[in-house]
Amino acid sequence: RVPKFPKDGAVLEAETRGGVSLSTARTVVIKGPQLWDGTGKAMIKDGVVIVEGGKVTGVGPARSLSLPEGKDVSTFDYPGCTICPGFIDTHVHLNWPGDGTPAHIFTIPKSDVELAIVSATNARRALRSGVTTVRDVGSRGRTVLDLRNAINAGQTIGPRIVAAAAPITKRGGHMGYMGAEADSALAVRSACRNHWKMGADFFKLVANGGGTPRTHSWIPSYSEQEIAAAVAEARDHETHVTVHANSVETIRRCTSAGVNGMEHCTFLEGGWKVLFDPKIAEDIAKKGIYIGHTFPANYRSLLKARADRNAMSDEDREYWDLRERAKEATFKNFNRMLDMGVRIVASTDAGWSLTPYGEYVVALETFCEAGATPVQSLESGTRIAAEALQLADKIGTLESGKRADVTIVKGDPTKKISDAWNVRAVFRDGALLVDDDKLVA
């Protein structure tokens, strides 16, 4: 009952960005008692998705569709489940393990082969959690680019990967050890062009410090002109640029420069003090800039800090109290931005710190904790995420003509977001890749 891949490993369809088809021309029918297509329409009862050649050719209630029959039709029925568009994680680092090891300590001694193997393992873990597309926002060399190509060629199993290669940062800046330092507008343009030549899908710019030693999240790294250079280069290549931005001033510069997206967007001002600038937020909404919240990056760290609190020194306890208050203020900010119409996308920062793969739903749950409804949270990880990746014509909703990326979950995540943990099956390009938490080879 599993659609088979071409014997010679060939693929049906090549695309310039966003992956290729892994499926054969065999017809697949997916049934469930309810279907959430991600378009904003009401839940479809007795829903069906019909797939031909990896693309959706029909979607709707069973009574309204003429269901194909015959020996070349594979039918999958999922009672008690909801059919959803494949989940999208817009912020991951496939090179890193997410086990608490500092990224620079993990990365520097590793060979590219080792990092590629780690990346392949992480990609499969993401797939098993219902994620059919990931955007890798920072990896070394060709490690993730080559993994993307291998998945696209059907040589290994994984989600669709949209990759930036190494994040572009100033000399000695956050994630500089990944290998893409640039200290001027001209150097930023040159780095973007080098990445495009390597096969990057988009550009990632690091516009203030972060978790790398001797850098600070509240101190800008790039001028507005340097950020604008990356924006211009992305425009020239008909792609997008997203920026690591925490500080108020960095966010202002990025907004003014017209970036496509910002990661974190925490409005930091010295230490862990979180502010809010409604004027900047209004401009973000007006310009349609996509914001990746990356809430799970702090989730596990705060859980561990709470567990270790009694054994902490007074200084450490004060630090984690600051982090707790920063989290609460950040949630409040995102609720404000949501009300203002800012386009917020689901993002985990998987790989960083204590942010393991396989816990994608934490991004949806914490967004709900910040004030989103379950439906808004699901939209942030499907339709809106696809728009942020400039792949809305291919993925993000279940509509005729789009790639058949489908995640089946037990229960109803539109009412209870935690039901999204209960992944029953995952299809990518119409091929069943995860069945009852097992990878299908």
Side-chain angles (χ1 to χ4, degrees):
R1 67 190 183 91
V2 179
K4 295 182 180 178
F5 298 109
K7 291 181 180 179
D8 61 358
V11 292
L12 289 179
E13 174 183 332
E15 299 173 357
T16 56
R17 292 202 304 272
V20 297
S21 173
L22 290 178
S23 63
T24 69
R26 190 170 182 171
T27 301
V28 176
V29 176
I30 305 169
K31 297 180 177 181
Q34 52 187 24
L35 185 155
W36 182 76
D37 64 13
T39 65
K41 298 176 183 176
M43 184 77 78
I44 297 171
K45 300 300 182 183
D46 295 321
V48 174
V49 178
I50 303 172
V51 183
E52 295 274 1
K55 289 187 176 181
V56 176
T57 57
V59 58
R63 66 181 180 277
S64 68
L65 298 173
S66 178
L67 302 185
E69 298 178 351
K71 63 180 182 179
D72 290 330
V73 178
S74 296
T75 299
F76 301 86
D77 199 350
Y78 298 101
C81 295
T82 301
I83 302 171
C84 303
F87 298 151
I88 302 169
D89 191 341
T90 64
H91 188 127
V92 304
H93 297 276
L94 289 168
N95 276 181
W96 300 334
D99 63 359
T101 306
H104 63 288
I105 291 175
F106 181 85
T107 305
I108 292 171
K110 295 284 190 299
S111 69
D112 281 1
V113 173
E114 289 175 293
L115 293 179
I117 292 170
V118 170
S119 298
T121 301
N122 287 336
R124 294 190 186 104
R125 287 174 178 158
L127 185 68
R128 288 172 61 186
S129 67
V131 175
T132 55
T133 299
V134 298
R135 180 172 65 173
D136 186 279
V137 293
S139 54
R140 196 172 72 191
R142 295 197 54 86
T143 52
V144 171
L145 297 176
D146 288 341
L147 173 62
R148 175 201 63 190
N149 296 343
I151 291 172
N152 289 347
Q155 295 165 349
T156 188
I157 289 177
R160 175 181 289 98
I161 295 176
V162 180
I168 299 168
T169 188
K170 74 172 186 179
R171 190 176 328 195
H174 180 40
M175 294 187 285
Y177 50 84
M178 302 301 279
E181 295 177 323
D183 283 341
S184 66
L186 182 61
V188 167
R189 275 190 176 268
S190 179
C192 289
R193 292 175 185 179
N194 285 336
H195 283 19
W196 193 255
K197 181 179 178 180
M198 288 171 58
D201 296 305
F202 71 102
F203 305 131
K204 163 72 179 296
L205 195 69
V206 182
N208 54 237
T212 301
R214 296 170 64 84
T215 73
H216 302 286
S217 298
W218 48 91
I219 299 178
S221 302
Y222 282 126
S223 67
E224 184 178 324
Q225 292 71 29
E226 289 165 330
I227 297 168
V231 172
E233 204 62 36
R235 188 180 301 116
D236 289 348
H237 294 291
E238 295 186 341
T239 188
H240 66 280
V241 58
T242 194
V243 184
H244 170 98
N246 299 94
S247 80
V248 176
E249 176 58 22
T250 301
I251 294 167
R252 187 199 65 75
R253 294 178 188 180
C254 288
T255 304
S256 181
V259 302
N260 301 93
M262 282 185 273
E263 310 303 304
H264 316 302
C265 197
T266 40
F267 288 95
L268 286 180
E269 181 80 13
W272 286 96
K273 185 178 181 181
V274 176
L275 306 179
F276 187 69
D277 189 319
K279 177 60 173 65
I280 295 177
E282 287 172 7
D283 288 345
I284 290 171
K286 186 183 300 182
K287 292 186 176 185
I289 296 171
Y290 296 90
I291 303 300
H293 57 62
T294 61
F295 288 153
N298 287 325
Y299 172 79
R300 279 259 186 172
S301 297
L302 287 171
L303 284 182
K304 187 176 186 303
R306 290 168 192 162
D308 296 344
R309 184 177 178 81
N310 291 335
M312 287 181 184
S313 66
D314 290 342
E315 183 178 357
D316 285 344
R317 194 175 296 115
E318 182 180 354
Y319 168 76
W320 285 106
D321 285 345
L322 281 173
R323 291 285 298 270
E324 285 277 7
R325 291 196 292 273
K327 173 208 160 188
E328 293 170 3
T330 301
F331 277 16
K332 185 176 181 181
N333 284 351
F334 272 81
N335 194 23
R336 288 171 174 169
M337 286 194 283
L338 189 65
D339 289 342
M340 295 169 73
V342 173
R343 306 183 72 72
I344 301 174
V345 294
S347 53
T348 63
D349 213 349
W352 179 260
S353 187
L354 282 166
T355 316
Y357 289 84
E359 296 192 356
Y360 172 77
V361 181
V362 173
L364 306 182
E365 289 180 324
T366 50
F367 195 21
C368 287
E369 186 180 341
T373 66
V375 169
Q376 287 175 318
S377 184
L378 287 169
E379 288 176 338
S380 78
T382 53
R383 176 175 54 82
I384 300 174
E387 293 170 1
L389 272 55
Q390 297 184 346
L391 292 174
D393 60 330
K394 294 181 175 66
I395 58 174
T397 59
L398 295 175
E399 298 179 89
S400 292
K402 291 193 176 183
R403 305 308 311 180
D405 288 6
V406 184
T407 296
I408 314 292
V409 299
K410 296 177 183 177
D412 183 356
T414 68
K415 294 180 179 177
K416 183 181 177 184
I417 196 63
S418 60
D419 282 351
W421 282 103
N422 306 320
V423 175
R424 172 70 177 80
V426 180
F427 295 79
R428 214 208 91 191
D429 287 315
L432 178 66
L433 297 186
V434 178
D435 186 18
D436 279 336
D437 199 40
K438 297 180 180 65
L439 290 174
V440 178

